[in-house]
Amino acid sequence: MSTCAFASSMLLLSVLLVGLCLAHPINNQETSGSYSDGPACTIGPLGMESGAIPDGSITASSSYSASYSPPQARLNEGKSYSWWVPTEEDVADSWIQVDLGLQGLGVTGLIVQRHPTQYMETFSVKYSLTGESESWHDLENADGDTIQFNGNVNGGERVTVTFPEILRTRFLRIMTLTWTRTFPHFAFEVLGCRDGIIRLAGGDDALRGRVEIYHDGAWGAVCDTNWDIQDATTVCWQLGFLEASEAKNGSFYGATELPVVMDRVACKGTEPYLSWCPFLCRENDPCTSTAGVVCKPNTVRLVDGPTRRSGRVELNVNGTWGAICDNEWDLTDAGVVCRQLGYPGARQAKSDAFFGQGSGPNLMDRVVCDGSEAKITECPTHCWDKPKCRNTETAGVTCYKGWRESVYFLQESLQ
């Protein structure tokens, strides 16, 4: 199947992705921009075949030779023998990785192509926002199991692999699982959508700045008309922070020459992405000042788990991260942590340093939540006594997958 044909056939699926208005700039009529009925960007190739992803952004665990280096994994209509091939010694643990260049892209799948006789039969996928060694997550199903994808099974034809989740990520890694003959030969394209990712500009740190959003191949600004804390909360959540402390108006973080692409944003503060909020689109928008935010630093996190929704529970107190003792730790306590992080609830409460020992101090002991608390620090605890547990006796959680994540299930979006 050609890339263009795939993009057309997937247009119906694309309504599930975040989207802005149909064009940029946009006409001066008020246009619905709500997530329920707003137009969406179209799924398409993200730049392997076109060359938009540079050679230096395609890396691998090894290469058989320069003729089979990672950039040779680009799909190419006019080149029949362009493949990445790992070394024989590395093949069992081999992977190929691509840096898509922008954080938070919506990645929906791959197009893969096989060598007629030597090919990758099955593979799994990892993803990361930063590419750092501890930041990778397996693409999993609803039960938390790593998904095994079928590689090419037809004679040299391109095969489309659609992920059951839309990944909000920057780095993608394809892990070899099974292959034919001595070496797998592999070529691929990444499919997805760039629209809707955001960044903060003009601030002193990652917590604050002018809100800018990517749309139609370029960055744009957000008008500050009616901009409030609910809008700021959605922005901060999309950036990975749990709360916003301020919504800034009046071009607080400086003027910009970027065009205004959103006006009169009206978030409820519960949306996972800014572009899911209702807003207006206008041509020659009279807006003269832009919106900004200040996000609160996170005070709770999950560490050393196999996925972003599981791990050792750590708190930040006066700038120091530390763990929670597992004395009396139960599913009710774990549920408060999971809901504080935006998940619907806890699947498991873990004890005995199940996710490994932390290096910081233990900050809470004998936590007894009743389940009504919004934050774990609101739960009763032996707060007058110094925690007495060892680092081998700390608490962890596994949360249920929720829609307010950087990845979400297509099946849930269809309901």
Side-chain angles (χ1 to χ4, degrees):
M1 180 185 294
S2 71
T3 302
C4 292
F6 174 79
S8 298
S9 66
M10 293 296 288
L11 184 57
L12 178 60
L13 174 62
S14 71
V15 300
L16 300 176
L17 286 171
V18 295
L20 299 179
C21 295
L22 285 172
H24 170 76
I26 304 159
N27 64 42
N28 59 7
Q29 299 297 316
E30 293 191 4
T31 305
S32 173
S34 69
Y35 63 83
S36 59
D37 59 2
C41 61
T42 302
I43 297 170
L46 292 179
M48 285 290 289
E49 185 167 13
S50 69
I53 296 173
D55 286 354
S57 295
I58 310 168
T59 56
S61 56
S62 66
S63 299
Y64 182 77
S65 69
S67 299
Y68 298 105
S69 64
Q72 299 302 313
R74 299 180 186 276
L75 286 187
N76 193 323
E77 289 278 11
K79 192 175 181 181
S80 301
Y81 300 100
S82 177
W83 320 97
W84 162 68
V85 180
T87 63
E88 184 175 0
E89 297 76 15
D90 175 60
V91 63
D93 299 308
S94 62
W95 50 262
I96 185 166
Q97 172 181 315
V98 57
D99 177 359
L100 299 170
L102 293 171
Q103 283 196 350
L105 296 178
V107 179
T108 61
L110 303 168
I111 299 176
V112 296
Q113 191 166 24
R114 59 166 267 180
H115 183 278
T117 59
Q118 303 179 73
Y119 54 91
M120 194 183 297
E121 291 181 308
T122 61
F123 61 89
S124 62
V125 171
K126 292 180 179 287
Y127 59 96
S128 167
L129 284 173
T130 66
E132 297 175 356
S133 59
E134 301 300 321
S135 68
W136 290 92
H137 303 279
D138 291 311
L139 180 52
E140 300 177 331
N141 60 24
D143 295 324
D145 300 320
T146 299
I147 300 172
Q148 178 176 295
F149 295 97
N150 291 324
N152 297 291
V153 293
N154 297 316
E157 297 180 2
R158 296 184 176 196
V159 175
T160 298
V161 175
T162 301
F163 297 160
E165 306 177 15
I166 298 173
L167 303 180
R168 285 283 161 188
T169 191
R170 172 173 173 172
F171 294 87
L172 201 70
R173 183 178 288 180
I174 299 165
M175 312 293 297
T176 305
L177 296 180
T178 61
W179 60 96
T180 64
R181 304 273 180 108
T182 306
F183 307 100
H185 292 53
F186 193 69
F188 70 103
E189 175 65 87
V190 183
L191 300 168
C193 176
R194 290 183 173 87
D195 270 18
I197 62 175
I198 60 175
R199 66 185 183 187
L200 302 182
D204 296 331
D205 54 36
L207 295 171
R208 69 201 74 225
R210 179 177 59 252
V211 180
E212 296 179 353
I213 187 164
Y214 195 85
H215 171 56
D216 198 21
W219 289 98
V222 178
C223 188
D224 65 354
T225 305
N226 298 341
W227 186 256
D228 60 20
I229 193 65
Q230 285 80 16
D231 307 318
T233 296
T234 294
V235 167
C236 291
W237 181 268
Q238 184 173 345
L239 291 169
F241 302 104
L242 300 179
E243 297 179 84
S245 60
E246 292 183 74
K248 293 293 190 180
N249 302 83
S251 297
F252 184 86
Y253 293 105
T256 177
E257 295 182 357
L258 293 177
V260 169
V261 296
M262 301 180 77
D263 188 12
R264 290 179 59 189
V265 177
C267 300
K268 297 177 181 178
T270 58
E271 300 86 352
Y273 309 114
L274 179 62
S275 57
W276 281 28
C277 301
F279 61 95
L280 299 183
C281 309
R282 304 173 188 269
E283 184 178 340
N284 301 319
D285 198 300
C287 178
T288 57
S289 56
T290 55
V293 300
V294 178
C295 301
K296 290 183 180 180
N298 291 343
T299 57
V300 62
R301 67 184 184 185
L302 303 182
V303 181
D304 294 338
T307 69
R308 67 185 67 215
R309 63 182 183 278
S310 62
R312 182 176 62 256
V313 181
E314 292 193 347
L315 307 174
N316 190 307
V317 177
N318 298 323
T320 299
W321 286 99
I324 298 177
C325 295
D326 63 4
N327 296 314
E328 302 184 35
W329 185 255
D330 61 19
L331 199 61
T332 302
D333 309 322
V336 172
V337 171
C338 290
R339 286 188 292 275
Q340 181 178 350
L341 291 169
Y343 300 100
R347 173 182 288 177
Q348 295 174 313
K350 295 293 189 179
S351 57
D352 298 324
F354 183 86
F355 296 106
Q357 300 179 35
S359 58
N362 296 322
L363 300 175
M364 295 181 75
D365 194 5
R366 299 189 183 279
V367 176
V368 183
C369 305
D370 64 19
S372 65
E373 299 87 354
K375 301 178 181 179
I376 190 65
T377 52
E378 296 175 358
C379 297
T381 180
H382 284 206
C383 55
W384 286 358
D385 300 326
K386 183 178 179 179
K388 297 180 175 63
C389 68
R390 298 185 295 270
N391 284 351
T392 56
E393 302 170 319
T394 52
V397 301
T398 299
C399 303
Y400 284 109
K401 185 182 288 273
W403 72 275
R404 273 194 86 178
E405 292 187 76
S406 60
V407 296
Y408 59 94
F409 277 94
L410 294 179
Q411 298 96 303
E412 295 170 349
S413 300
L414 286 167
Q415 292 176 358

